[in-house]
Amino acid sequence: MPAKNKIQQEIHKEPEDHLLWKYLNQEELQAMENMELTRVENFMSEKFNLKEYEIDLKQACFLDYYLTQYWWARKEKGFNLEQTSSFFSIAYNLMENLSEKKFNYIDNLADFKLMLSVLNERVRLFSEQQLKDMIKHFSLTFFQNIKLYLFVIEEEQNEIAVSRDIVVECPKLPSLPYPPPLDEALPINLYEKYILQIPDEPNEEEKLREELEKPDNIVLSDEVIEQIHDKFEGLGIDEAKKIIFEVTNELVTELKDEMKTKIKNREAALLNELAKSAKKK
């Protein structure tokens, strides 16, 4: 059978009476009653397998079409559930004729008239005014845009990849327990002293004192070395330096303690004198 005759036969075959509840049943329509528009959109994308509508132009076009038909019938015209289901079945069949059955404009228009005649003569769900509103609505939303729908259906969508090279500088890994502070944070000296607990660098006097407190840094004259060899046989220079260092430290410690005691006594005496002079005044 030629393809054209096959299409004609398919058109003139009367649609079944079950346009009612065919694509949207009563339970689904009742569930959609209290949904916001975005939730209705998500529901329809799941039901009609249009899950990629955000990136696929064809799926986005179909979903927008289905959503528009439902919203117009139920929300704008106030059709009841039976009317909304039958109206949506007509809308779905028209788009299916275009995308799957490859109907042209004339064939799709003939099928549309046939579906309306069945609803008007057999089922009688709609009033005469409602049928007129439906014809006007489909003329504006479907038949006037049929070439645009065909273009979306037949043309392959070009995939556009948008990219941009970005150079990201990563901070160096901290060699310390904590990373350096930000500009608006602690001053670096306080950060190092109290957080990292880095000791302050000693001044020249402290460095000299530290050097002198090491036995290896003691310098002995030739005369002293000769006396050590003469008087202490078998005593090495390093051992002699260690002994001198320990004795010197003991003497210095005693002198420090003595000086601290004298300073404390002197401070106490001064405080007594200040207290006496204050009483006299």
Side-chain angles (χ1 to χ4, degrees):
M1 181 183 293
K4 185 174 181 180
N5 293 336
K6 186 177 180 181
I7 292 175
Q8 291 291 338
Q9 184 180 7
E10 199 167 347
I11 292 172
H12 294 297
K13 180 182 177 182
E14 291 187 1
E16 301 174 358
D17 291 342
H18 68 271
L19 285 174
L20 179 63
W21 315 127
K22 187 174 183 180
Y23 299 107
L24 290 177
N25 59 42
Q26 187 173 5
E27 291 77 12
E28 290 171 336
L29 287 171
Q30 288 175 344
M32 293 163 66
E33 282 296 298
N34 298 322
M35 291 184 185
E36 297 179 354
L37 185 59
T38 53
R39 291 186 61 195
V40 175
E41 183 180 51
N42 293 334
F43 172 79
M44 285 193 170
S45 67
E46 292 287 337
K47 179 173 177 59
F48 299 113
N49 196 23
L50 303 172
K51 300 176 183 179
E52 302 294 328
Y53 68 93
E54 292 182 339
I55 57 175
D56 189 291
L57 181 60
K58 183 178 177 180
Q59 291 192 17
C61 181
F62 282 11
L63 181 59
D64 183 70
Y65 171 78
Y66 297 148
L67 191 60
T68 300
Q69 304 309 326
Y70 164 77
W71 201 261
W72 181 85
R74 185 64 180 149
K75 302 299 181 179
E76 294 187 18
K77 289 300 178 181
F79 289 177
N80 60 34
L81 298 182
E82 293 180 348
Q83 291 173 332
T84 302
S85 177
S86 300
F87 172 84
F88 188 85
S89 296
I90 295 175
Y92 191 94
N93 284 340
L94 289 175
M95 184 60 74
E96 187 180 41
N97 289 343
L98 199 63
S99 60
E100 301 297 331
K101 300 178 182 179
K102 307 302 179 184
F103 281 14
N104 58 29
Y105 183 90
I106 301 300
D107 296 337
N108 223 343
L109 185 60
D111 195 44
F112 174 61
K113 291 179 180 179
L114 189 59
M115 287 187 287
L116 285 183
S117 66
V118 170
L119 288 177
N120 188 32
E121 295 173 7
R122 293 186 181 181
V123 185
R124 295 190 178 277
L125 284 176
F126 300 95
S127 65
E128 183 178 350
Q129 183 60 45
Q130 288 174 331
L131 289 172
K132 289 180 180 179
D133 291 340
M134 288 166 59
I135 293 170
K136 183 178 179 181
H137 174 74
F138 280 115
S139 298
L140 294 173
T141 60
F142 181 78
F143 289 103
Q144 286 187 7
N145 300 318
I146 200 166
K147 290 185 177 180
L148 292 176
Y149 289 132
L150 280 173
F151 178 80
V152 173
I153 292 168
E154 295 174 357
E155 294 293 325
E156 293 292 333
Q157 180 179 345
N158 295 328
E159 294 185 4
I160 301 175
V162 180
S163 63
R164 183 176 182 180
D165 295 332
I166 300 176
V167 178
V168 179
E169 294 185 2
C170 298
K172 296 180 180 179
L173 293 175
S175 57
L176 299 170
Y178 299 92
L182 301 175
D183 291 340
E184 65 273 15
L186 291 173
I188 191 65
N189 59 338
L190 298 179
Y191 173 78
E192 291 178 348
K193 183 175 182 180
Y194 295 103
I195 297 179
L196 299 182
Q197 296 182 354
I198 298 177
D200 296 334
E201 292 187 2
N203 53 33
E204 294 297 328
E205 185 178 351
E206 290 175 346
K207 288 180 180 180
L208 181 60
R209 187 182 301 113
E210 289 177 359
E211 292 295 328
L212 292 176
E213 289 178 353
K214 296 178 181 179
D216 295 336
N217 294 328
I218 296 176
V219 180
L220 300 177
S221 63
D222 294 337
E223 184 179 353
V224 174
I225 293 174
E226 290 179 1
Q227 291 179 3
I228 291 173
H229 287 312
D230 294 340
K231 297 180 180 180
F232 306 97
E233 293 182 3
L235 182 65
I237 301 300
D238 293 335
E239 293 178 353
K241 287 183 178 181
K242 187 176 180 180
I243 294 170
I244 294 171
F245 175 77
E246 292 176 354
V247 173
T248 305
N249 271 348
E250 291 179 1
L251 293 174
V252 170
T253 302
E254 292 178 0
L255 289 173
K256 285 181 178 179
D257 294 339
E258 187 179 349
M259 288 296 296
K260 287 179 181 179
T261 304
K262 289 182 178 180
I263 290 171
K264 287 182 180 179
N265 293 336
R266 182 59 181 165
E267 287 177 353
L270 289 172
L271 289 174
N272 289 331
E273 292 180 3
L274 288 173
K276 290 179 182 178
S277 59
K279 288 181 180 178
K280 290 179 180 180
K281 292 181 180 181

